Amino acid sequence: MNAAELVRQHLIDPEICIRCNTCEETCPVHAIQHDARNYVVRFDTCENCRACIPPCPTGAIENYRRVARSNPYAIEDQFSWDELPAEAEPSPGETAELPADVVRITEIATAGQGGAALPPWSAAHPYEGLHTIARPAIATVTGNYRLTEDRASSDVHHIVLDFGRTAFPVLEGQSLGVIAPGLDAAGKAHHVRLYSIASPRNGERPGYNNLALTVKRVAADRAGRPVHGVCSNYLCDLKRGDQVKVVGPYGTSFLMPNHPGSSLMMICTGTGSAPMRAMTERRRRRAALGEGGRLMLFFGARAPAELPYFGPLMKLPKDFIDINLAFSRASDRPKRYVQDLIRDRGEDVANMLRDPESYIYVCGLKGMETGVNEAFAAVCGAHGMTWDAVLDGLKREARFHVETY
Ligand code: NAP
């Protein structure tokens, strides 16, 4: 075989992939598909445009193997994998280098808009993927509290994990993966489920090697049909002293700025509040050092009793954080979504959009993205701006970050 026949095949790492479907939704040529277990990439369809790279929350998407163009991994192979195959050693006479045209195409794609999403310029450097499925970190549960009131329809838990003397350094906005014990219906280990870290970088308790997760017990699917969420039920039922297998941390772009005067606009629904709690608490701990600019929060839940962290949130001083709560099913008021409140607060939202030091974070239900974008467009229209142009600028400067599932 001569070197000109070698190519880079795009593959998805089944060990890290959380099956969130963002890559399949994003791929403009439908090269990505999935079965009950794995997400795979069709070699003959993938154009290496890298549109699928930025939305992937774990980085599972960004994997390549050098293969002979005439003999790539078939999707049937990829469906059967529990882990990626090792990079093949070049055979005698074959160069390990890719041909110049393949390398050049890859470089062009990487340098373009499809490259990995960037963090704010002043974000701290994140660690990623320190613990893998083969070598997970073992954390001990030191707390498990129900956050939603007893009368609430949803059961959301605040779960504190302690890593003891194992390094698990995190930043606000990062996630980790949990491996639930046991086997799935096919007799294989459960795949990893991803949760945002709800604590600041220096610990749920400052100076401790611990962090918290915000987990909603899944008892129904999106259509309301009863299902038993494997990992959420496992986590919500944990007792103090139980041990949990954890992988990660993950996430290199949904990170907060650290420079003085930088402002945060946080827009979230339900348990999408986890990273917002981490960022808010970081700013609260650093307030005395003058690190923070303005904090503005838009938080949507069905009713006050369903809103995770409602009590502590309401105790924060008004001059520290501007809180806007949208309740969609409260018995005593009309239905409101976060996007309605963005419109209501148009003047202040417009001022933040004009402020070059403001950073925007959106986290929660996938469905909120469209509504939030429309609300920003309406606010911009009413205040002499064009949302498309504003959004372009925000993205160029890594000031707009979205994590929805
Ligand atoms: P939820 O309780 O189902 O919904 C929260 C609120 O959002 C409700 O008021 C709901 O209203 C409203 N809502 C529904 N559709 C909306 C739309 N199109 N635009 C704006 N608001 C809308 O939320 P959840 O079950 O906690 O889900 C949170 C989401 O965050 C999940 O998708 C989860 O995967 C994701 N997430 C979780 C974490 C974590 O660490 N746990 C981290 C990141 C993201 P109605 O239902 O009354 O219509």
Side-chain angles (χ1 to χ4, degrees):
M1 184 169 69
N2 70 41
E5 292 173 302
L6 287 176
V7 288
R8 262 155 62 101
Q9 181 174 4
H10 183 199
L11 299 167
I12 297 173
D13 188 339
E15 281 201 281
I16 304 176
C17 173
I18 56 155
R19 285 78 178 164
C20 66
N21 205 50
T22 46
C23 55
E24 190 172 320
E25 281 167 25
T26 312
C27 178
V29 294
H30 308 292
I32 299 179
Q33 61 189 86
H34 70 279
D35 67 2
R37 192 159 179 85
N38 282 353
Y39 276 72
V40 301
V41 187
R42 263 187 191 284
F43 176 77
D44 52 1
T45 313
C46 175
E47 293 175 351
N48 202 15
C49 71
R50 293 178 62 89
C52 57
I53 304 294
C56 174
T58 64
I61 192 77
E62 202 156 18
N63 281 284
Y64 301 89
R65 288 291 181 272
R66 195 165 36 87
V67 295
R69 189 187 292 281
S70 56
N71 189 25
Y73 293 108
I75 57 167
E76 291 74 21
D77 297 330
Q78 298 174 46
F79 278 134
S80 71
W81 288 345
D82 288 327
E83 59 187 49
L84 286 177
E87 184 80 86
E89 287 295 319
S91 15
E94 181 187 309
T95 168
E97 297 303 317
L98 286 167
D101 59 338
V102 173
V103 174
R104 193 167 44 79
I105 289 165
T106 311
E107 280 168 358
I108 290 166
T110 311
Q113 291 261 322
L118 295 173
W121 69 264
S122 62
H125 188 275
Y127 285 91
E128 216 195 12
L130 296 180
H131 300 275
T132 61
I133 293 186
R135 281 185 301 282
I138 307 296
T140 304
V141 178
T142 53
N144 185 351
Y145 315 97
R146 181 171 159 129
L147 287 170
T148 42
E149 290 182 17
D150 290 345
R151 63 196 160 96
S153 60
S154 54
D155 184 14
V156 180
H157 283 238
H158 181 72
I159 297 162
V160 184
L161 300 178
D162 192 290
F163 287 88
R165 303 197 67 77
T166 302
F168 204 92
V170 298
L171 291 175
E172 307 79 11
Q174 283 196 294
S175 310
L176 55 69
V178 173
I179 309 170
L183 302 175
D184 66 14
K188 298 196 166 187
H190 292 295
H191 62 72
V192 167
R193 264 53 167 214
L194 202 71
Y195 297 92
S196 293
I197 292 155
S199 310
R201 66 192 78 177
N202 65 333
E204 174 65 7
R205 180 169 174 182
Y208 280 64
N209 191 14
N210 64 5
L211 55 79
L213 305 178
T214 314
V215 182
K216 179 174 174 177
R217 189 187 291 279
V218 174
D221 65 13
R222 295 260 157 100
R225 291 178 295 249
V227 292
H228 181 80
V230 171
C231 201
S232 68
N233 279 279
Y234 160 66
L235 285 170
C236 288
D237 290 337
L238 285 169
K239 306 270 178 302
R240 283 176 65 172
D242 285 348
Q243 297 205 314
V244 182
K245 287 183 180 170
V246 181
V247 296
Y250 300 119
T252 55
S253 61
F254 195 102
L255 303 177
M256 62 190 290
N258 291 303
H259 61 282
S262 51
S263 293
L264 311 182
M265 187 190 296
M266 301 172 280
I267 304 159
C268 59
T269 50
T271 53
S273 55
M276 312 314 189
R277 177 186 184 268
M279 291 185 190
T280 303
E281 183 56 13
R282 169 74 182 170
R283 282 287 160 106
R284 197 187 64 78
R285 290 181 190 177
R286 305 282 291 179
L289 303 171
E291 188 171 278
R294 203 171 159 199
L295 298 189
M296 191 175 199
L297 173 70
F298 293 94
F299 192 168
R302 294 176 185 179
E306 312 267 351
L307 196 134
Y309 308 115
F310 184 70
L313 203 53
M314 296 332 282
K315 291 194 189 114
L316 293 172
K318 295 219 170 352
D319 60 353
F320 168 68
I321 183 168
D322 179 351
I323 299 173
N324 301 271
L325 303 178
F327 297 117
S328 59
R329 304 188 201 181
S331 52
D332 58 345
R333 59 196 101 174
K335 171 175 176 152
R336 307 290 275 161
Y337 277 172
V338 281
Q339 51 266 40
D340 300 321
L341 302 192
I342 290 173
R343 284 192 174 84
D344 290 355
R345 297 291 310 276
E347 184 78 43
D348 295 300
V349 169
N351 285 339
M352 276 189 92
L353 291 178
R354 283 194 196 99
D355 175 1
E357 298 303 344
S358 62
Y359 291 75
I360 300 173
Y361 298 84
V362 182
C363 187
L365 296 164
K366 185 97 199 144
M368 71 191 283
E369 268 184 60
T370 308
V372 166
N373 270 301
E374 286 169 0
F376 277 134
V379 169
C380 285
H383 292 84
M385 295 180 277
T386 311
W387 173 233
D388 285 349
V390 171
L391 183 60
D392 258 10
L394 288 169
K395 285 187 174 168
R396 209 171 31 249
E397 294 176 6
R399 296 196 288 123
F400 189 77
H401 300 273
V402 179
E403 210 159 275
T404 55
Y405 302 112

